[in-house]
Amino acid sequence: MIKVLFFARIREELDCRQLDLPWGNDLVDLDALSGRLCREHGEHWEKVLGQQNIIRAVNQKVVTGNTALADGDEVAFFPPVTGG
Amino acid sequence: MIKVLFFARIREELDCRQLDLPWGNDLVDLDALSGRLCREHGEHWEKVLGQQNIIRAVNQKVVTGNTALADGDEVAFFPPVTGG
Amino acid sequence: MSLSVKVQEADFDPAELQRSLLAGGQAEGAVVTFTGYVRASNEQRTIERMELEHYPGMTENSILAILQQAAERWGVLAASVVHRVGVLRTGDQIVWVGVAAAHREAAFSACEFTMDYLKTRAPFWKKEVGPQGDHWVEHRAQDTERAQRWGRSSE
Amino acid sequence: MSLSVKVQEADFDPAELQRSLLAGGQAEGAVVTFTGYVRASNEQRTIERMELEHYPGMTENSILAILQQAAERWGVLAASVVHRVGVLRTGDQIVWVGVAAAHREAAFSACEFTMDYLKTRAPFWKKEVGPQGDHWVEHRAQDTERAQRWGRSSE
């Protein structure tokens, strides 16, 4: 299974906080995961997840570019951070 | 009158905290004042007041180089500061 | 060396935090602290309240990583971060960063470095609520530039 | 804008000082504080106590001039300095500098600027007393260099 989390503006725009996806061949890497989410949920998700400044994290580490996934991984999508 | 103050290491080396000198022609500027103090108090004062890093203030403002004095001024001699 | 990170809804007491920072020993010559407060306005928008969201787990770990970097780089003796989440109002305390070191140069640098990285790397998001409605605060490009001052070693 | 300078023998409470700093209003987003403590040793010398001498009158005025410069340069909202004199022991607080500003950049810069100038311009002198006898602390060339970072306008 892959646990997928959405935070802040992205969470609100998708109206979704968390998805649990059963592990499968269409989840081998981040780009494949994004592709599947867009196919399943349609144009609105494609637009939100395609935003240029979106940040992706795998197992709570920010990654840049595509990254391989394994069963049990945790993936998160969020906007640039604004703490402090 | 000129009020002359000594602080910290300079005060200890001269064993003098304050001198009040009656106003006169031999006090027209800082160099004249230093000259008079050295003449009156001898070689030890000359050595202490001649130290390169000594700081001089007139009316509580640090001055560099020679500076004119007037009756009523306050002059201070002290080493580099070490507060904070 | 003592490093501490707390993410909490509750308010905090800077005095108590500074005392805890020094509890380890007497070698410290300098303590620098930063306290952040909710401002009454931001870019002309009036702020009634602020809602702070975070990514539990990742937040604490990423801040601890920042403190470890700061501690190694400047020989920090103790450092502590408290960051609030949930609903906050104008004038409320949001964040506290305290750093103890033998000399002031290290304490100032480590504290400012930690704040710059909290602003650019720790997964917190602020939403302002005011008379004009809700507004997710935008990341300031200026914050990224400030963080980059510290060099690539901090990536 | 509220600027305050105190030179005193008595100890101080950083929490109370931070509260006073904010007493004026709610416009502040950031407070940076520095607290200096007597270290247990300096350049391998053991310190039993410290004696702090100052130049009454000139001290307060020169610190106020430093705070005014900082306030103008960074748009500081409030700033306060408390510096102790007399006999101090290891672990005792010596100095507190607090700066409130709308943004952290201003607060950090103004606080560090003030400390650099306290070290190089305010007429305080420290004497360490230890098992090896008395020792007037020497001015650190490094402090003068740090103060010069801020440019000639501060002379």
Side-chain angles (χ1 to χ4, degrees):
Chain A
M1 197 187 75
I2 303 283
K3 182 172 162 187
V4 188
L5 301 167
F6 305 99
F7 291 99
R9 186 170 49 71
I10 307 298
R11 171 179 57 70
E12 285 191 349
E13 286 174 359
L14 299 180
D15 195 19
C16 179
R17 185 179 295 273
Q18 180 173 343
L19 285 175
D20 294 320
L21 300 178
W23 175 248
N25 279 341
D26 52 351
L27 297 177
V28 289
D29 58 32
L30 266 183
D31 288 348
L33 171 69
S34 290
R36 172 162 157 189
L37 291 173
C38 295
R39 275 195 311 280
E40 275 182 12
H41 297 270
E43 203 181 337
H44 178 61
W45 280 55
E46 202 166 343
K47 203 175 139 194
V48 172
L49 295 181
Q51 287 172 63
Q52 277 222 324
N53 63 1
I54 209 164
I55 295 171
R56 304 193 293 189
V58 176
N59 297 331
Q60 308 194 351
K61 299 269 181 208
V62 168
V63 295
T64 52
N66 197 15
T67 299
L69 296 179
D71 194 10
D73 280 352
E74 177 178 307
V75 172
F77 293 83
F78 49 80
V81 305
T82 54
Chain B
M1 196 189 76
I2 303 283
K3 182 174 161 185
V4 188
L5 301 168
F6 305 98
F7 291 99
R9 185 170 49 72
I10 306 298
R11 172 180 55 72
E12 284 191 349
E13 286 173 358
L14 298 179
D15 195 20
C16 179
R17 184 179 297 272
Q18 179 172 344
L19 283 176
D20 294 320
L21 300 178
W23 175 247
N25 280 339
D26 52 351
L27 296 178
V28 288
D29 58 32
L30 266 183
D31 288 349
L33 171 69
S34 291
R36 174 164 155 186
L37 291 174
C38 295
R39 275 195 311 281
E40 276 183 12
H41 296 268
E43 203 181 335
H44 177 63
W45 280 54
E46 201 166 342
K47 204 174 138 193
V48 172
L49 296 181
Q51 287 172 62
Q52 277 220 324
N53 64 0
I54 209 164
I55 295 171
R56 304 192 295 189
V58 176
N59 297 329
Q60 308 194 351
K61 299 267 183 209
V62 168
V63 296
T64 52
N66 198 15
T67 299
L69 295 178
D71 194 10
D73 281 351
E74 177 179 306
V75 173
F77 294 83
F78 49 79
V81 305
T82 55
Chain C
M1 191 179 65
S2 143
L3 304 178
S4 147
V5 176
K6 277 184 198 142
V7 177
Q8 60 187 45
E9 294 200 6
D11 199 9
F12 53 81
D13 174 5
E16 198 186 305
L17 293 171
Q18 185 158 342
R19 273 194 299 274
S20 308
L21 198 65
L22 292 165
Q26 286 198 319
E28 300 86 355
V31 169
V32 172
T33 74
F34 177 90
T35 315
Y37 299 83
V38 179
R39 287 195 299 275
S41 66
N42 187 18
E43 292 164 3
Q44 273 92 52
R45 292 183 304 275
T46 302
I47 303 171
E48 281 166 2
R49 66 170 196 274
M50 188 85 97
E51 292 173 15
L52 259 135
E53 180 173 339
H54 79 304
Y55 183 168
M58 182 175 167
T59 319
E60 294 83 347
N61 292 335
S62 67
I63 299 175
L64 201 58
I66 289 167
L67 289 185
Q68 274 158 348
Q69 276 183 28
E72 280 163 31
R73 184 157 172 183
W74 287 285
V76 159
L77 299 164
S80 169
V81 169
V82 180
H83 202 301
R84 291 177 71 190
V85 290
V87 176
L88 300 176
R89 297 184 185 277
T90 294
D92 279 358
Q93 303 181 129
I94 304 177
V95 60
W96 189 86
V97 177
V99 175
H103 293 279
R104 77 184 187 289
E105 296 85 349
F108 271 113
S109 296
C111 188
E112 197 168 3
F113 168 90
T114 301
M115 276 308 302
D116 284 346
Y117 278 83
L118 275 180
K119 292 266 180 192
T120 51
R121 290 177 74 196
F124 291 104
W125 302 274
K126 283 186 190 133
K127 184 201 257 182
E128 298 167 356
V129 181
Q132 305 94 336
D134 293 5
H135 178 87
W136 284 103
V137 174
E138 294 288 323
H139 183 79
R140 296 196 306 166
Q142 197 186 338
D143 284 328
T144 301
E145 282 161 29
R146 284 188 72 82
Q148 281 165 351
R149 286 182 305 160
W150 303 105
R152 289 204 74 260
S153 68
S154 324
E155 289 297 314
Chain D
M1 191 181 65
S2 143
L3 305 178
S4 147
V5 176
K6 277 185 200 140
V7 178
Q8 61 188 41
E9 294 200 5
D11 199 8
F12 53 80
D13 175 5
E16 198 186 305
L17 294 170
Q18 185 157 341
R19 273 193 298 276
S20 309
L21 198 66
L22 293 165
Q26 285 197 319
E28 300 87 354
V31 169
V32 172
T33 73
F34 176 89
T35 315
Y37 298 82
V38 179
R39 287 196 298 274
S41 65
N42 188 19
E43 292 163 4
Q44 274 91 53
R45 291 183 305 274
T46 302
I47 303 171
E48 282 166 4
R49 66 171 194 274
M50 188 84 98
E51 292 173 16
L52 260 136
E53 180 172 339
H54 80 302
Y55 183 168
M58 182 175 167
T59 318
E60 293 83 347
N61 293 336
S62 66
I63 299 175
L64 201 59
I66 288 167
L67 289 185
Q68 275 158 347
Q69 277 184 27
E72 281 164 31
R73 185 158 172 180
W74 287 286
V76 159
L77 298 164
S80 169
V81 169
V82 180
H83 203 300
R84 292 177 70 191
V85 291
V87 175
L88 300 176
R89 295 183 186 277
T90 296
D92 279 358
Q93 303 181 128
I94 303 177
V95 60
W96 188 86
V97 177
V99 175
H103 293 279
R104 75 185 189 289
E105 296 85 348
F108 270 113
S109 295
C111 187
E112 197 169 3
F113 169 89
T114 302
M115 275 309 301
D116 285 346
Y117 279 83
L118 275 180
K119 292 268 181 192
T120 52
R121 290 176 74 197
F124 290 103
W125 301 274
K126 283 185 190 133
K127 185 202 256 183
E128 298 166 357
V129 181
Q132 305 93 337
D134 294 4
H135 177 89
W136 285 102
V137 175
E138 294 289 322
H139 182 79
R140 295 196 308 167
Q142 198 186 337
D143 285 328
T144 302
E145 282 161 29
R146 283 188 73 82
Q148 282 165 350
R149 286 182 304 161
W150 304 103
R152 288 205 75 259
S153 67
S154 325
E155 289 296 311

